[in-house]
Coordinates of all heavy atoms in Angstrom, one line a residue:
M1 N -2.2 -8.9 -0.3 CA -1.6 -8.1 0.8 C -2.7 -7.4 1.7 O -3.4 -6.6 1.2 CB -0.6 -7.1 0.2 CG 0.0 -6.2 1.3 SD 1.2 -5.1 0.4 CE 1.7 -4.1 1.9
Q2 N -2.7 -7.7 3.0 CA -3.7 -7.2 3.9 C -3.2 -5.9 4.5 O -2.1 -5.8 5.0 CB -4.0 -8.2 5.0 CG -4.9 -9.4 4.5 CD -6.4 -9.0 4.6 OE1 -6.8 -8.2 5.5 NE2 -7.2 -9.6 3.8
I3 N -4.1 -4.9 4.5 CA -3.8 -3.7 5.3 C -5.0 -3.4 6.1 O -6.0 -4.0 6.0 CB -3.4 -2.5 4.3 CG1 -4.5 -2.2 3.3 CG2 -2.1 -2.8 3.6 CD1 -4.5 -0.8 2.9
K4 N -4.8 -2.3 6.9 CA -5.9 -2.0 7.8 C -6.2 -0.5 7.6 O -5.3 0.4 7.6 CB -5.5 -2.2 9.3 CG -6.6 -2.5 10.2 CD -6.1 -2.9 11.6 CE -7.2 -3.2 12.6 NZ -6.6 -3.5 13.9
C5 N -7.5 -0.2 7.5 CA -7.9 1.2 7.3 C -7.5 2.0 8.6 O -7.8 1.6 9.7 CB -9.4 1.3 7.1 SG -10.1 3.0 7.1
S6 N -6.9 3.2 8.4 CA -6.5 3.9 9.6 C -7.6 4.8 10.2 O -7.4 5.4 11.2 CB -5.3 4.8 9.2 OG -5.6 5.6 8.2
F7 N -8.8 4.8 9.5 CA -9.9 5.5 10.1 C -10.9 4.6 10.8 O -11.3 4.9 11.9 CB -10.6 6.3 8.9 CG -9.7 7.3 8.3 CD1 -9.0 7.0 7.1 CD2 -9.5 8.5 8.9 CE1 -8.1 7.9 6.6 CE2 -8.6 9.5 8.3 CZ -7.9 9.1 7.2
C8 N -11.4 3.6 10.1 CA -12.4 2.7 10.7 C -11.8 1.4 11.2 O -12.6 0.6 11.8 CB -13.6 2.5 9.8 SG -13.2 1.5 8.4
G9 N -10.6 1.1 10.9 CA -9.9 -0.1 11.4 C -10.3 -1.4 10.6 O -9.9 -2.5 11.0
V10 N -11.0 -1.3 9.5 CA -11.4 -2.4 8.8 C -10.3 -3.0 8.0 O -9.5 -2.2 7.4 CB -12.7 -2.1 7.9 CG1 -12.4 -2.3 6.4 CG2 -13.9 -2.8 8.3
P11 N -10.0 -4.3 8.1 CA -8.9 -4.9 7.3 C -9.4 -5.1 5.8 O -10.5 -5.6 5.6 CB -8.6 -6.2 8.0 CG -9.8 -6.5 8.7 CD -10.7 -5.3 8.9
F12 N -8.6 -4.8 4.9 CA -8.9 -5.1 3.5 C -7.6 -5.3 2.7 O -6.5 -5.1 3.2 CB -9.7 -3.9 2.8 CG -9.0 -2.6 2.8 CD1 -8.4 -2.1 1.6 CD2 -9.0 -1.7 3.9 CE1 -7.8 -0.9 1.5 CE2 -8.4 -0.5 3.8 CZ -7.8 -0.1 2.7
S13 N -7.7 -6.0 1.6 CA -6.5 -6.3 0.8 C -6.4 -5.5 -0.4 O -7.4 -5.1 -1.0 CB -6.6 -7.8 0.5 OG -7.7 -8.1 -0.2
L14 N -5.1 -5.3 -0.8 CA -4.8 -4.6 -2.0 C -4.8 -5.6 -3.2 O -4.4 -6.7 -3.1 CB -3.4 -3.9 -1.9 CG -3.2 -2.8 -0.9 CD1 -1.8 -2.3 -0.9 CD2 -4.2 -1.7 -1.1
T15 N -5.3 -5.1 -4.3 CA -5.3 -6.0 -5.5 C -3.9 -6.0 -6.1 O -3.1 -5.1 -5.8 CB -6.3 -5.4 -6.6 OG1 -5.8 -4.1 -7.0 CG2 -7.7 -5.3 -6.1
Q16 N -3.6 -6.9 -7.0 CA -2.3 -7.0 -7.6 C -2.0 -5.7 -8.4 O -0.9 -5.2 -8.4 CB -2.2 -8.2 -8.6 CG -2.0 -9.5 -7.8 CD -0.7 -9.5 -6.9 OE1 -0.8 -9.6 -5.7 NE2 0.4 -9.3 -7.5
E17 N -3.1 -5.1 -9.0 CA -2.9 -3.9 -9.7 C -2.5 -2.7 -8.8 O -1.7 -1.9 -9.2 CB -4.3 -3.5 -10.4 CG -4.6 -4.4 -11.6 CD -5.2 -5.8 -11.3 OE1 -5.6 -6.0 -10.1 OE2 -5.2 -6.7 -12.1
Q18 N -3.2 -2.7 -7.6 CA -2.8 -1.6 -6.7 C -1.4 -1.7 -6.2 O -0.7 -0.8 -6.0 CB -3.8 -1.6 -5.5 CG -5.2 -1.1 -5.9 CD -6.2 -1.2 -4.7 OE1 -6.3 -2.3 -4.2 NE2 -6.8 -0.2 -4.3
I19 N -1.0 -3.0 -5.9 CA 0.4 -3.2 -5.4 C 1.4 -2.8 -6.5 O 2.3 -2.1 -6.2 CB 0.6 -4.7 -5.1 CG1 -0.3 -5.1 -3.8 CG2 2.0 -5.1 -4.8 CD1 -0.4 -6.5 -3.5
A20 N 1.1 -3.1 -7.7 CA 2.0 -2.8 -8.8 C 2.1 -1.2 -9.0 O 3.1 -0.7 -9.2 CB 1.5 -3.4 -10.1
E21 N 0.9 -0.6 -8.8 CA 0.9 0.9 -8.9 C 1.7 1.5 -7.7 O 2.5 2.4 -8.0 CB -0.6 1.3 -8.7 CG -0.9 2.7 -9.2 CD -2.3 3.1 -9.0 OE1 -3.2 2.2 -9.2 OE2 -2.6 4.2 -8.6
A22 N 1.5 1.0 -6.5 CA 2.3 1.5 -5.4 C 3.8 1.3 -5.6 O 4.6 2.2 -5.3 CB 1.8 0.8 -4.1
V23 N 4.2 0.1 -6.0 CA 5.6 -0.2 -6.3 C 6.2 0.8 -7.3 O 7.3 1.4 -7.1 CB 5.8 -1.6 -6.7 CG1 7.2 -1.9 -7.3 CG2 5.5 -2.6 -5.6
A24 N 5.4 1.1 -8.3 CA 5.9 2.1 -9.3 C 6.1 3.5 -8.7 O 7.0 4.2 -9.0 CB 4.9 2.1 -10.5
I25 N 5.2 3.8 -7.8 CA 5.2 5.1 -7.1 C 6.5 5.2 -6.3 O 7.2 6.2 -6.3 CB 3.9 5.4 -6.3 CG1 2.8 5.7 -7.2 CG2 4.2 6.5 -5.3 CD1 1.4 5.7 -6.5
Y26 N 6.8 4.2 -5.5 CA 7.9 4.2 -4.6 C 9.3 4.1 -5.4 O 10.2 4.6 -4.9 CB 7.9 3.0 -3.6 CG 6.6 3.0 -2.7 CD1 5.9 1.8 -2.5 CD2 6.2 4.1 -2.1 CE1 4.8 1.8 -1.7 CE2 5.0 4.1 -1.4 CZ 4.3 3.0 -1.2 OH 3.2 2.9 -0.4
K27 N 9.2 3.5 -6.5 CA 10.5 3.4 -7.3 C 10.8 4.8 -7.9 O 11.9 5.2 -8.1 CB 10.3 2.4 -8.5 CG 10.6 1.0 -8.0 CD 10.5 0.1 -9.2 CE 10.9 -1.3 -8.8 NZ 10.8 -2.3 -9.9
N28 N 9.7 5.6 -8.1 CA 9.9 7.0 -8.6 C 10.3 7.9 -7.5 O 11.1 8.8 -7.7 CB 8.6 7.4 -9.3 CG 8.7 8.7 -10.0 OD1 9.7 8.9 -10.7 ND2 7.7 9.6 -9.8
D29 N 9.7 7.7 -6.3 CA 9.9 8.6 -5.2 C 9.7 7.7 -3.9 O 8.6 7.4 -3.5 CB 9.0 9.8 -5.2 CG 9.1 10.7 -4.0 OD1 10.0 10.4 -3.2 OD2 8.4 11.6 -3.9
S30 N 10.8 7.4 -3.2 CA 10.7 6.5 -2.1 C 10.0 7.1 -0.9 O 9.7 6.4 0.1 CB 12.1 6.0 -1.7 OG 12.9 7.1 -1.3
H31 N 9.8 8.4 -0.9 CA 9.1 9.1 0.2 C 7.7 9.3 -0.1 O 6.9 9.9 0.7 CB 9.8 10.4 0.5 CG 11.2 10.3 1.0 ND1 11.5 9.6 2.2 CD2 12.4 10.6 0.4 CE1 12.9 9.6 2.3 NE2 13.4 10.1 1.3
A32 N 7.2 8.9 -1.3 CA 5.8 9.0 -1.7 C 4.9 8.1 -0.9 O 5.4 7.1 -0.3 CB 5.7 8.8 -3.2
H33 N 3.7 8.4 -0.9 CA 2.7 7.5 -0.3 C 1.7 7.0 -1.3 O 1.3 7.8 -2.2 CB 2.0 8.2 0.8 CG 2.8 8.5 2.0 ND1 3.7 9.5 2.1 CD2 3.0 7.8 3.2 CE1 4.4 9.5 3.2 NE2 4.0 8.4 3.9
F34 N 1.2 5.8 -1.1 CA 0.1 5.3 -2.0 C -1.2 5.4 -1.2 O -1.3 5.0 0.0 CB 0.4 3.9 -2.3 CG -0.6 3.2 -3.2 CD1 -0.8 3.6 -4.5 CD2 -1.5 2.3 -2.6 CE1 -1.8 3.0 -5.3 CE2 -2.5 1.7 -3.4 CZ -2.7 2.1 -4.7
D35 N -2.2 5.9 -1.8 CA -3.5 6.0 -1.2 C -4.3 4.8 -1.5 O -4.7 4.5 -2.6 CB -4.3 7.2 -1.8 CG -3.7 8.5 -1.3 OD1 -3.2 8.6 -0.2 OD2 -3.8 9.5 -2.1
A36 N -4.6 4.0 -0.4 CA -5.5 2.9 -0.5 C -6.9 3.2 0.0 O -7.0 3.7 1.1 CB -4.9 1.7 0.3
H37 N -7.9 3.0 -0.8 CA -9.2 3.4 -0.5 C -10.0 2.3 0.3 O -10.1 1.2 -0.2 CB -10.0 3.9 -1.7 CG -9.5 5.2 -2.3 ND1 -9.9 6.4 -1.8 CD2 -8.5 5.4 -3.2 CE1 -9.2 7.3 -2.5 NE2 -8.3 6.7 -3.3
C38 N -10.5 2.6 1.4 CA -11.2 1.7 2.3 C -12.5 1.3 1.6 O -13.3 2.2 1.2 CB -11.4 2.3 3.6 SG -12.4 1.3 4.7
P39 N -12.8 0.0 1.5 CA -14.1 -0.3 0.9 C -15.3 0.0 1.8 O -16.5 0.1 1.3 CB -14.0 -1.9 0.7 CG -13.0 -2.3 1.7 CD -12.0 -1.1 1.9
K40 N -15.1 0.2 3.1 CA -16.2 0.5 4.0 C -16.4 2.0 4.2 O -17.5 2.4 3.9 CB -15.9 -0.2 5.4 CG -17.1 -0.2 6.3 CD -16.7 -0.7 7.7 CE -17.9 -0.6 8.6 NZ -17.4 -0.6 10.0
C41 N -15.4 2.7 4.6 CA -15.7 4.2 4.8 C -15.2 5.1 3.7 O -15.5 6.3 3.7 CB -15.0 4.6 6.1 SG -13.2 4.7 6.1
R42 N -14.6 4.5 2.7 CA -14.2 5.2 1.5 C -13.1 6.2 1.7 O -12.7 7.0 0.8 CB -15.4 5.9 0.8 CG -16.5 4.9 0.4 CD -16.2 4.3 -1.0 NE -17.0 3.1 -1.2 CZ -16.7 2.2 -2.1 NH1 -15.6 2.4 -2.9 NH2 -17.4 1.2 -2.3
R43 N -12.5 6.3 2.8 CA -11.4 7.2 3.1 C -10.1 6.6 2.6 O -10.0 5.4 2.5 CB -11.4 7.6 4.5 CG -12.7 8.4 5.0 CD -12.6 8.8 6.4 NE -11.8 10.0 6.5 CZ -11.7 10.7 7.7 NH1 -12.3 10.3 8.7 NH2 -10.9 11.8 7.8
S44 N -9.1 7.4 2.3 CA -7.9 6.8 1.9 C -6.8 6.8 3.0 O -6.6 7.7 3.7 CB -7.4 7.6 0.7 OG -7.1 8.9 1.0
T45 N -6.3 5.6 3.1 CA -5.2 5.3 4.1 C -3.9 5.5 3.3 O -3.7 4.9 2.3 CB -5.3 3.9 4.6 OG1 -6.5 3.8 5.4 CG2 -4.2 3.5 5.5
K46 N -3.0 6.3 3.8 CA -1.8 6.6 3.1 C -0.8 5.5 3.5 O -0.5 5.3 4.7 CB -1.2 8.0 3.5 CG -2.1 9.0 2.8 CD -1.3 10.4 2.8 CE -2.2 11.5 2.3 NZ -2.6 11.2 0.9
L47 N -0.3 4.8 2.6 CA 0.7 3.7 2.8 C 2.1 4.2 2.5 O 2.4 4.6 1.3 CB 0.3 2.5 2.0 CG -1.1 1.9 2.2 CD1 -1.3 0.7 1.3 CD2 -1.3 1.5 3.7
A48 N 3.0 4.0 3.4 CA 4.4 4.3 3.2 C 5.1 3.1 2.6 O 4.7 2.0 2.7 CB 5.1 4.8 4.5
K49 N 6.2 3.4 2.0 CA 7.1 2.3 1.4 C 7.4 1.2 2.4 O 7.5 0.1 2.1 CB 8.3 2.9 0.8 CG 9.2 2.0 0.0 CD 10.4 2.7 -0.5 CE 11.3 1.7 -1.3 NZ 12.6 2.3 -1.6
K50 N 7.6 1.7 3.6 CA 8.0 0.8 4.7 C 7.1 -0.5 4.8 O 7.6 -1.6 5.1 CB 8.0 1.6 6.0 CG 8.8 0.9 7.1 CD 8.8 1.8 8.4 CE 9.6 1.2 9.5 NZ 11.0 1.1 9.3
I51 N 5.8 -0.2 4.7 CA 4.8 -1.3 4.8 C 5.1 -2.4 3.7 O 5.0 -3.6 4.0 CB 3.4 -0.7 4.6 CG1 3.1 0.2 5.8 CG2 2.4 -1.9 4.5 CD1 1.9 1.1 5.6
F52 N 5.5 -1.9 2.5 CA 5.8 -2.9 1.4 C 7.1 -3.5 1.6 O 7.3 -4.6 1.1 CB 5.7 -2.1 0.1 CG 4.3 -1.7 -0.3 CD1 3.7 -0.6 0.3 CD2 3.6 -2.4 -1.2 CE1 2.4 -0.2 0.0 CE2 2.3 -2.1 -1.5 CZ 1.7 -1.0 -0.9
E53 N 8.0 -2.9 2.3 CA 9.4 -3.5 2.6 C 9.3 -4.6 3.6 O 10.1 -5.5 3.7 CB 10.3 -2.4 3.0 CG 10.8 -1.5 1.9 CD 11.6 -0.3 2.4 OE1 11.5 0.1 3.6 OE2 12.3 0.3 1.6
L54 N 8.3 -4.5 4.5 CA 8.1 -5.5 5.5 C 7.5 -6.8 5.0 O 7.6 -7.9 5.6 CB 7.2 -5.0 6.6 CG 7.8 -3.8 7.5 CD1 6.8 -3.2 8.4 CD2 9.0 -4.4 8.3
N55 N 6.8 -6.7 3.8 CA 6.2 -7.9 3.2 C 7.2 -8.5 2.2 O 7.6 -7.8 1.3 CB 4.9 -7.4 2.5 CG 4.1 -8.5 1.9 OD1 4.7 -9.3 1.1 ND2 2.8 -8.6 2.1
P56 N 7.5 -9.8 2.4 CA 8.6 -10.4 1.6 C 8.2 -10.4 0.1 O 9.1 -10.2 -0.7 CB 8.6 -11.8 2.1 CG 7.9 -11.9 3.3 CD 7.0 -10.7 3.4
L57 N 7.0 -10.5 -0.2 CA 6.5 -10.5 -1.6 C 6.7 -9.2 -2.3 O 7.3 -9.1 -3.4 CB 5.1 -11.0 -1.7 CG 4.7 -11.6 -3.0 CD1 4.9 -13.1 -3.0 CD2 3.2 -11.3 -3.3
T58 N 6.2 -8.1 -1.6 CA 6.3 -6.8 -2.2 C 7.8 -6.2 -2.1 O 8.2 -5.4 -2.9 CB 5.3 -5.8 -1.6 OG1 5.4 -5.9 -0.2 CG2 3.9 -6.2 -2.0
R59 N 8.5 -6.7 -1.1 CA 9.9 -6.3 -1.0 C 10.7 -6.7 -2.3 O 11.5 -6.0 -2.8 CB 10.6 -6.8 0.2 CG 12.0 -6.2 0.5 CD 12.5 -6.6 1.8 NE 12.7 -8.1 2.0 CZ 12.5 -8.7 3.1 NH1 12.0 -8.1 4.2 NH2 12.6 -10.0 3.1
K60 N 10.4 -7.9 -2.7 CA 11.0 -8.4 -4.0 C 10.7 -7.5 -5.2 O 11.5 -7.3 -6.0 CB 10.6 -9.9 -4.2 CG 11.5 -10.9 -3.6 CD 11.1 -12.3 -4.0 CE 11.8 -13.3 -3.1 NZ 11.1 -14.6 -3.1
M61 N 9.4 -7.1 -5.2 CA 9.0 -6.2 -6.3 C 9.7 -4.9 -6.3 O 10.0 -4.3 -7.3 CB 7.5 -6.0 -6.2 CG 6.7 -7.2 -6.6 SD 4.9 -7.0 -6.3 CE 4.5 -6.0 -7.7
L62 N 9.9 -4.4 -5.1 CA 10.6 -3.1 -4.9 C 12.1 -3.2 -5.3 O 12.7 -2.2 -5.8 CB 10.6 -2.6 -3.5 CG 9.2 -2.1 -3.0 CD1 9.2 -2.0 -1.5 CD2 8.9 -0.7 -3.6
E63 N 12.7 -4.4 -5.1 CA 14.1 -4.6 -5.5 C 14.3 -4.9 -6.9 O 15.4 -4.8 -7.4 CB 14.7 -5.7 -4.6 CG 14.9 -5.3 -3.1 CD 15.1 -6.5 -2.2 OE1 15.0 -7.6 -2.7 OE2 15.4 -6.2 -1.0
A64 N 13.3 -5.4 -7.6 CA 13.4 -5.8 -9.0 C 13.7 -4.7 -9.9 O 13.2 -3.5 -9.7 CB 12.1 -6.5 -9.4
Ligands
ZN1 ZN1 -12.3 2.6 6.6

């Protein structure tokens, strides 16, 4: 799953482990955010559940 750093704009992908972690967070609290750390600038981009709902693969995980 590709995302974009909100600070430096660099595109990077989340690992399966990170996706699983994020899904677990949203299942616990749908208003929570998952911090994805940029490999370039090291800052964390906050990802809302909405981003995962737009991706067909992660949407299935959220519904499971
Ligand atoms: Zn960055």
Side-chain angles (χ1 to χ4, degrees):
M1 177 179 177
Q2 283 272 332
I3 58 153
K4 206 173 181 184
C5 174
S6 55
F7 298 96
C8 71
V10 122
F12 61 100
S13 55
L14 294 180
T15 64
Q16 281 306 115
E17 287 78 16
Q18 286 175 307
I19 292 168
E21 198 184 320
V23 167
I25 288 168
Y26 301 135
K27 277 186 177 175
N28 189 44
D29 178 3
S30 62
H31 298 292
H33 289 81
F34 177 73
D35 290 328
H37 294 272
C38 174
K40 194 185 172 198
C41 71
R42 300 274 160 200
R43 296 183 78 174
S44 62
T45 293
K46 290 196 184 301
L47 303 176
K49 188 183 179 186
K50 199 176 176 71
I51 295 163
F52 290 77
E53 285 172 339
L54 291 171
N55 183 307
L57 204 89
T58 49
R59 189 171 63 216
K60 268 184 196 160
M61 290 172 76
L62 285 165
E63 287 166 355

